[in-house]
Amino acid sequence: MLDNHPKSKSIVIRLISPKRNPRPRLWVKWFVNPFIHKRGKGSIIRSRRSRIDIFPWRRFNVGAYTTIEDFTTINNGAGDIILGDRVRIGIGSVVLGPVTIKSEAGLG
């Protein structure tokens, strides 16, 4: 839809992400992402001290009982991030898409 209208596409992208800053705006984080991205039952994302830069046009799926610890950076701007069930992303890890981590794996 927006591929045929480059000026409109540029405006929409600027509304979602500031120029030269690879993270979504706060309103996208609060009001758009919770309805688009799926989180499994019992998953924990300690996002108070983590940088979770998730864009709505890429996939970000978190499986059941998956834990993302503090001081973690997650960015799906370059590709999809799919985390299976019971995955543990350790403290200080950086996860940049595209990546798929199967069930019962860890990254530390």
Side-chain angles (χ1 to χ4, degrees), residues 54-89:
I54 303 299
F55 291 96
W57 55 79
R58 299 275 190 199
R59 282 178 54 197
F60 176 67
N61 294 343
V62 178
Y65 304 105
T66 295
T67 303
I68 300 174
E69 294 291 346
D70 288 329
F71 305 107
T72 302
T73 301
I74 296 183
N75 188 314
N76 73 340
D80 301 334
I81 296 177
I82 300 165
L83 305 175
D85 296 337
R86 293 175 301 282
V87 171
R88 185 171 191 107
I89 306 295

